[in-house]
Amino acid sequence: MSSGPPSPDFYRQLFEKVSDAIVVYDPETAVVVDANPAIAELTGYAVETLVGRPVTQFSSGPPESVERSVAEFVDRAAESDQEFEWLIERVDGTVRTTAVSLHRADIEGEDRVLAILRDVTERERDRAQLEESRQRLSLLTQRSPDVFWMFSPDWEECLFINDAYERVWGRSTEALLNDPTDFLAGVHPDDQETVREAMGKLANGSRVETEYRVNESEDFQRWVWVEGVPVYEDGELTRHVGFARDITDRKQIESDLRANEWAISALHTRASQTDLSLDQQIRELLEIGRERLDLPIAFATRIEGQDQYIVETAGAYEGISPGQHQQLEDAYCRRTIEQEGLLGIQNAPEEGWADDPAYQASHLNCYLGGKLIVDDELYGTVCFASPDPREREFSEIERAFVELLVQWLGYEIERDQYQSELESLTQEVTSILQASPLAILEVDDEAVIRRWNPAAEELFGLPESEAVGTNYPKISESRRPVFEALFERVMAGETVTNFEGAIEQEDGTRRDLSINAAPVSGADDEVSGVVVTVSDITPERRRQRRIEAVRRATQRLVEAHTDEAVASIAVEAPAEIVDSTAAAFWRFDESTDGFNQIASTDAWDDHDGTDDIEAAVANGGDWEPLRAVIDTGWIQRLEDVTVFHPTGSGTSTASVGVPVGHWGVLVVAESGGAFSETGTNVLDVLAGALDSAFGSVEFEQQLHATERELRRQNEQLEEFAHVIAHDIRGPLTAARGFFEIALETDADEHFQRVADAHTRMERMIDDLLTLARQGRSIAEREPVDVEELARTAWTQVRGDASIEIEAGLPVVSADASRLEEVLTNLFRNAVEHGSTSPPSHTQEDAVEHGSTSPPSRTQGDAVEHAGSGVTISIGPLTDDDGEIEGIFVEDDGDGIPPEKHPHVFDFGYTTDPNGTGLGLSIVKEVVEAHGWTVSVTDGRNGGARFEIEIGNSEPVVVT
């Protein structure tokens, strides 16, 4: 631009012809004074519109900021021309970028600003995009681990290479930029031909992918994957672009995976060798690991406390051999068991192990080891090592393999332990099955028997060879649905306990069973079968039935009120308690020191051997079989006392004697199992109940006797009162009257009558005292010879009479003094009954007379009234079979009228004014006190006959 003012023609020509917009404005006001037509195209404003307005009219931005910028550029233009970019805002609101050249010039004598504007909006956009792409590419390539490259079509120029090239290839980018073929020197010699072929394909316009080894400094251990693409523009090849990615890790992983695949295959092969011992398996696994890791040493250890023992090894190394012991603190295993995962050492000294006892003891530079866990507890370690350092770290795949091998080895040890335990358990189970008293069987999921122990053979009567492979043996068709339902319940997972069933054995007997069944699950927890235990509860059920029978018998005993009723229940109970229907009860008799059978069952009585049995029990009178039972208090087998088998088999069997306190012995046929342990137990319980029942009966009888005695005593009191009030008052009144007459008349006969009245009162008082003091009470019994006692009693009787003692009088158990009193009163009654006294003083009084007056008084009275005399007979009382059942006393006098028989024993009954009416009452009281009975009837010679029946409860011995 000229420093002088242009000519008018030039100025105008410039305005009209140039394509750039020109604006002339006042530098002071920034008002447009002139503009060419191009400004209208640029801004959208007409020239006429812009002239006279400030340049801010078409500038973009805040007015104040625009004005300030305009002023700054105008001031700078005074010093030198200014070039800058300026944003204008068109009339439609769009913004355009312009390149502005600003000049200060004198135009026609005026200081003016000349601004030339060129629209550069599209150029700036392209330039911005180009710069953005460049920055992105630079950012991408510089941060990427991949190598990005760009070469000319003829490979004679490297157009682009990023910094990753130096790391991957081990060569500088500068060398490559100077010599585009320099990268080939970093390729493994064996792979260079592959690279040249790829370059040729790219030059021919083909896309390529290839892999090869690079980096001579790393012995070409680095692998790259390269992709190249030819770039065409307008159909012309302009460049080759591509990238190279480091795939060394991937290649290592692939190599490790192949190695692991081989090793795992080898593990499976070894696992299939089931004939190997555990030591051989460990050695084989260690050998596989050693080969997989390419390490010379492998070993497995067992750790116990602070001690480490070498279990097995693969590869030779001094100080590492099977059985060797080492302190844990001197081994790498110390750290191995302290951490999670594996302990890996690539180069021990470089990793800080130089001063560690483990390194100093072993000098192993490389080590990889893991914890060996067996059954969730630390067992030891598995280790791989080398005296030489390792060039590279152990990869994750290598570590994964070692972890797998350690687990595998742990499983093998665990399996061996389990196998040993299983074999031991199997042996134990087999022994238990063989020795178990319970029947044990196992069935599969179809209820087919797989196992059948000896107890099952015995219980079901079926050998194992016939039972295995069958379904529900010995189960009747009617009962089979019950057992099938039970099987289904257990197969559904339910454990069934105490299920009760029954089977019928070959001999027809029923066996009660208690069944327990549980599901058997396989490794998948699916129920695969059922194990069943069966116990024979027949004895238990029998015992329960026996106990229930004892209970029922005990309840019945409560209602028994006599010895016979108790004994009857006793002999009936064994039928339910011990299945024996043949039984009898012998009651012990203290008076005779013998036994009386008081109850027996029909089964006992109906067979032909009853007499033999009873003879054996009596044993000639010493009762030794029963006496031994009752003396010892034990249930005993009576070997010599046999009965027919109650089932009617016709065979004889021994009996069992059951002691029942001191009351007697229950004899039971042993055939019902009475002498088994269970049988004796329940019989013992029954005996206790019987003992209590007999005691209760005795107590009840004593109570009743006491009640009767009280009633009798009350009656006697009333009778005593009557006698005293009436009978004694009569003689006393008579005595008083005769005494008054005697005093008046002084006649002896009246004094004699007074004396007779007093004598009668004395006898009456004596008899009353006898009844009052002794009544029905008797002293301790003893064997009494009735014949001797009769002779003694006769000495107490005086009168014109004689006595005949017949042979065969028995020895009885009695109170001798009281029995003598009975005989004396009967003798006196006979003498007085047959006297020659007037009827009013002799016959009638003799019936009631029972005086116990002194002999002198009685004798005198008897002589006085004896007359021609009476004969008295005493002898044994027998039944129709001739068996002695008591004694009799009779005379040949006038007898007692039949109508008076019912009253002769009444208290105070007399027809004689001089009689007491107490003698025969005393006889009755004493006889009944012994448990006997007395009655009156006619004698054989017309006189009175008194019969005393002793009964079956008292032993009678004929002398």
Side-chain angles (χ1 to χ4, degrees):
M1 185 178 290
S2 175
S3 60
S7 64
D9 292 338
F10 175 79
Y11 179 73
R12 184 53 53 191
Q13 186 179 8
L14 180 62
F15 264 54
E16 296 294 338
K17 293 183 177 180
V18 297
S19 59
D20 292 334
I22 300 175
V23 176
V24 180
Y25 60 90
D26 188 338
E28 295 295 333
T29 62
V31 174
V32 176
V33 297
D34 199 0
N36 70 344
I39 193 67
E41 184 178 353
L42 177 63
T43 65
Y45 292 99
V47 174
E48 294 80 6
T49 303
L50 292 177
V51 174
R53 295 187 178 186
V55 295
T56 58
Q57 176 72 33
F58 55 87
S59 297
S60 177
E64 293 180 359
S65 177
V66 171
E67 289 176 0
R68 187 167 52 252
S69 296
V70 169
E72 289 177 358
F73 282 119
V74 169
D75 290 343
R76 292 175 187 170
E79 300 294 329
S80 63
D81 293 345
Q82 297 294 309
E83 293 185 358
F84 56 87
E85 291 183 351
W86 189 262
L87 297 177
I88 67 170
E89 184 174 349
R90 287 172 52 82
V91 68
D92 59 4
T94 60
V95 178
R96 308 291 290 180
T97 302
T98 61
V100 179
S101 294
L102 195 65
H103 306 275
R104 292 285 295 270
D106 184 359
I107 301 177
E108 295 180 353
E110 296 291 338
D111 185 16
R112 295 287 185 259
V113 177
L114 179 65
I116 302 173
L117 296 83
R118 178 175 296 169
D119 188 353
V120 294
T121 302
E122 299 300 328
R123 187 195 70 185
E124 287 301 317
R125 184 181 295 116
D126 292 342
R127 186 176 66 182
Q129 291 177 350
L130 179 61
E131 179 62 22
E132 184 180 0
S133 297
R134 186 188 68 77
Q135 290 178 354
R136 288 178 178 176
L137 177 61
S138 176
L139 182 62
L140 177 64
T141 58
Q142 294 306 320
R143 293 184 178 182
S144 173
D146 296 336
V147 177
F148 289 89
W149 48 265
M150 185 185 302
F151 285 89
S152 62
D154 56 5
W155 299 95
E156 292 182 357
E157 182 181 1
C158 178
L159 301 178
F160 180 81
I161 191 72
N162 66 340
D163 294 341
Y165 171 77
E166 294 186 351
R167 178 182 58 81
V168 176
W169 249 259
R171 305 181 71 81
S172 68
T173 56
E174 183 179 358
L176 181 62
L177 292 173
N178 293 331
D179 181 5
T181 62
D182 184 70
F183 78 92
L184 286 172
V187 177
H188 193 287
D190 294 343
D191 296 336
Q192 289 181 5
E193 184 60 31
T194 300
V195 175
R196 289 189 176 92
E197 290 178 359
M199 293 170 64
K201 290 181 179 180
L202 279 170
N204 291 329
S206 299
R207 180 173 180 167
V208 296
E209 291 184 23
T210 186
E211 296 177 0
Y212 51 86
R213 291 162 289 179
V214 298
N215 202 321
E216 183 179 8
S217 65
E218 297 178 352
D219 295 331
F220 300 106
Q221 294 297 314
R222 192 179 295 274
W223 281 83
V224 292
W225 174 67
V226 179
E227 181 179 11
V229 180
V231 178
Y232 288 85
E233 292 182 359
D234 298 331
E236 181 181 356
L237 179 63
T238 60
R239 56 190 178 276
H240 306 301
V241 298
F243 69 93
R245 177 167 295 167
D246 188 348
I247 61 170
T248 303
D249 290 341
R250 193 194 77 187
K251 282 290 187 179
Q252 185 61 50
I253 290 173
E254 291 176 354
S255 175
D256 288 344
L257 288 175
R258 287 193 297 272
N260 276 10
E261 183 179 355
W262 167 84
I264 292 173
S265 176
L267 289 177
H268 283 290
T269 301
R270 299 300 189 277
S272 64
Q273 296 176 305
T274 57
D275 59 335
L276 297 179
S277 67
L278 178 62
D279 290 341
Q280 290 174 322
Q281 292 182 51
I282 295 175
R283 189 163 52 251
E284 291 284 345
L285 294 176
L286 292 175
E287 187 64 39
I288 292 172
R290 189 175 71 90
E291 293 181 22
R292 167 63 184 86
L293 299 174
D294 193 23
L295 295 176
I297 306 164
F299 56 96
T301 71
R302 180 80 167 95
I303 295 176
E304 297 178 356
Q306 296 301 313
D307 297 313
Q308 173 180 280
Y309 301 89
I310 304 297
V311 175
E312 195 56 70
T313 64
Y317 188 73
E318 184 178 358
I320 300 178
S321 58
Q324 185 173 356
H325 167 259
Q326 185 179 21
Q327 291 295 316
L328 188 60
E329 62 183 10
D330 296 333
Y332 285 117
C333 298
R334 178 189 78 252
R335 289 278 298 277
T336 303
I337 64 175
E338 291 176 351
Q339 67 179 47
E340 292 296 326
L342 303 178
L343 173 64
I345 302 173
Q346 182 180 350
N347 190 319
E350 290 183 2
E351 297 177 31
W353 289 85
D355 297 328
D356 193 280
Y359 177 76
Q360 293 179 352
S362 65
H363 296 287
L364 294 173
N365 282 276
C366 172
Y367 173 89
L368 181 62
K371 289 182 290 189
L372 183 57
I373 303 297
V374 176
D375 202 16
D376 296 330
E377 293 186 358
L378 177 67
Y379 179 90
T381 59
V382 177
C383 314
F384 301 91
S386 172
D388 300 321
R390 200 167 194 256
E391 294 181 357
R392 62 184 180 87
E393 294 182 357
F394 292 103
S395 68
E396 291 300 320
I397 295 178
E398 289 174 323
R399 286 174 171 268
F401 168 74
V402 172
E403 288 178 347
L404 173 64
L405 187 142
V406 172
Q407 287 184 344
W408 196 306
L409 185 53
Y411 294 152
E412 289 296 331
I413 296 175
E414 218 170 81
R415 186 177 63 83
D416 183 76
Q417 291 180 349
Y418 288 163
Q419 185 66 30
S420 298
E421 292 176 2
L422 180 60
E423 291 176 358
S424 176
L425 181 61
T426 301
Q427 184 62 39
E428 291 179 6
V429 170
T430 301
S431 299
I432 292 173
L433 288 176
Q434 295 298 316
S436 174
L438 297 179
I440 302 176
L441 52 140
E442 184 180 353
V443 300
D444 61 17
D445 56 358
E446 295 183 353
V448 176
I449 292 177
R450 296 187 300 204
R451 185 171 297 188
W452 187 266
N453 76 334
E457 292 182 337
E458 181 178 356
L459 177 61
F460 292 95
L462 190 67
E464 181 182 14
S465 59
E466 297 181 18
V468 172
T470 64
N471 295 83
Y472 306 107
K474 297 293 183 177
I475 304 299
S476 64
E477 289 297 327
S478 62
R479 295 284 295 169
R480 183 161 179 158
V482 175
F483 287 91
E484 289 175 343
L486 173 66
F487 174 75
E488 293 299 328
R489 286 169 55 191
V490 180
M491 285 298 295
E494 179 183 354
T495 297
V496 176
T497 58
N498 298 325
F499 179 85
E500 295 191 6
I503 60 171
E504 186 172 311
Q505 295 185 314
E506 295 294 339
D507 60 1
T509 59
R510 170 193 168 99
R511 307 301 294 178
D512 294 315
L513 308 177
S514 176
I515 301 171
N516 296 277
V520 176
S521 301
D524 56 358
D525 291 333
E526 292 292 329
V527 178
S528 59
V530 176
V531 62
V532 182
T533 63
V534 184
S535 56
D536 184 355
I537 59 173
T538 305
E540 180 180 349
R541 289 292 174 267
R542 183 183 297 117
R543 181 179 63 83
Q544 291 176 350
R545 289 193 295 270
R546 287 172 172 175
I547 292 174
E548 178 61 22
V550 171
R551 186 186 65 81
R552 289 194 299 271
T554 302
Q555 290 177 336
R556 292 178 58 201
L557 288 171
V558 174
E559 305 298 327
H561 302 293
T562 64
D563 287 352
E564 290 73 13
V566 173
S568 177
I569 295 172
V571 298
E572 292 171 0
E576 289 187 284
I577 294 175
V578 291
D579 302 326
S580 179
T581 57
F585 189 84
W586 269 268
R587 181 74 158 82
F588 178 66
D589 185 354
E590 294 181 354
S591 63
T592 63
D593 197 27
F595 293 82
N596 298 316
Q597 179 181 314
I598 61 173
S600 59
T601 63
D602 292 341
W604 182 277
D605 297 332
D606 290 347
H607 64 73
D608 296 334
T610 300
D611 295 337
D612 295 335
I613 295 169
E614 295 178 356
V617 168
N619 195 35
D622 64 8
W623 303 96
E624 183 57 31
L626 300 188
R627 196 179 305 280
V629 173
I630 205 167
D631 287 347
T632 62
W634 300 337
I635 297 177
Q636 299 181 37
R637 179 182 286 110
L638 307 178
E639 301 291 352
D640 296 330
V641 182
T642 59
V643 296
F644 270 2
H645 194 287
T647 61
S649 62
T651 59
S652 295
T653 180
S655 297
V656 173
V658 182
V660 180
H662 64 280
W663 311 104
V665 178
L666 173 64
V667 180
V668 182
E670 189 185 344
S671 58
F675 209 65
S676 65
E677 181 178 357
T678 302
T680 55
N681 287 340
V682 293
L683 285 175
D684 194 44
V685 174
L686 175 64
L690 293 173
D691 185 9
S692 298
F694 278 117
S696 297
V697 168
E698 181 182 60
F699 177 77
E700 184 178 351
Q701 290 175 346
Q702 290 175 347
L703 183 62
H704 290 165
T706 301
E707 292 175 350
R708 289 193 301 271
E709 179 65 17
L710 287 174
R711 286 195 299 270
R712 187 191 65 80
Q713 290 178 358
N714 289 334
E715 292 172 356
Q716 280 187 344
L717 287 175
E718 293 178 0
E719 293 171 348
F720 287 168
H722 174 75
V723 170
I724 292 172
H726 183 269
D727 293 354
I728 295 180
R729 184 181 294 116
L732 183 59
T733 302
R736 184 182 298 114
F738 285 124
F739 183 69
E740 291 177 354
I741 295 172
L743 290 176
E744 292 177 359
T745 63
D746 196 26
D748 292 339
E749 59 177 311
H750 297 299
F751 283 107
Q752 183 60 45
R753 288 185 176 276
V754 171
D756 290 342
H758 281 87
T759 299
R760 185 169 182 271
M761 285 190 293
E762 182 180 5
R763 290 172 58 193
M764 189 177 297
I765 290 171
D766 287 342
D767 289 343
L768 287 173
L769 288 175
T770 298
L771 286 173
R773 291 171 181 174
Q774 296 178 336
R776 293 194 177 189
S777 62
I778 60 174
E780 183 177 355
R781 298 189 186 200
E782 58 182 336
V784 177
D785 189 330
V786 177
E787 181 179 346
E788 292 182 3
L789 190 65
R791 297 184 187 278
T792 301
W794 181 250
T795 63
Q796 306 298 322
V797 178
R798 295 293 183 268
D800 187 10
S802 62
I803 187 169
E804 292 182 358
I805 299 177
E806 299 183 7
L809 283 171
V811 175
V812 298
S813 177
D815 180 344
S817 63
R818 299 305 305 275
L819 184 56
E820 180 183 352
E821 186 178 316
V822 169
L823 296 180
T824 300
N825 279 329
L826 289 176
F827 292 163
R828 286 175 178 168
N829 183 77
V831 171
E832 295 173 355
H833 178 73
S835 76
T836 59
S837 301
S840 60
H841 294 285
T842 304
Q843 184 175 348
E844 294 182 1
D845 183 57
V847 175
E848 296 88 5
H849 207 297
S851 173
T852 57
S853 300
S856 60
R857 182 180 303 118
T858 305
Q859 183 178 3
D861 186 55
V863 170
E864 180 181 355
H865 301 290
S868 60
V870 65
T871 300
I872 302 170
S873 299
I874 181 171
L877 182 66
T878 60
D879 59 14
D880 295 339
D881 296 328
E883 295 290 331
I884 296 176
E885 59 181 7
I887 59 175
F888 70 87
V889 176
E890 66 178 6
D891 61 63
D892 57 359
D894 295 333
I896 301 173
E899 65 273 13
K900 294 185 178 181
H901 287 178
H903 306 292
V904 295
F905 297 106
D906 290 347
F907 185 84
Y909 177 81
T910 179
T911 58
D912 183 0
N914 295 319
T916 66
L918 299 177
L920 293 182
S921 295
I922 293 174
V923 170
K924 181 180 179 182
E925 291 287 335
V926 175
V927 169
E928 290 182 352
H930 281 78
W932 306 334
T933 61
V934 61
S935 61
V936 62
T937 185
D938 295 332
R940 291 173 293 183
N941 298 315
R945 177 184 176 97
F946 293 89
E947 295 181 348
I948 299 175
E949 293 186 19
I950 296 176
N952 294 330
S953 61
E954 298 294 336
V956 178
V957 179
V958 179
T959 58

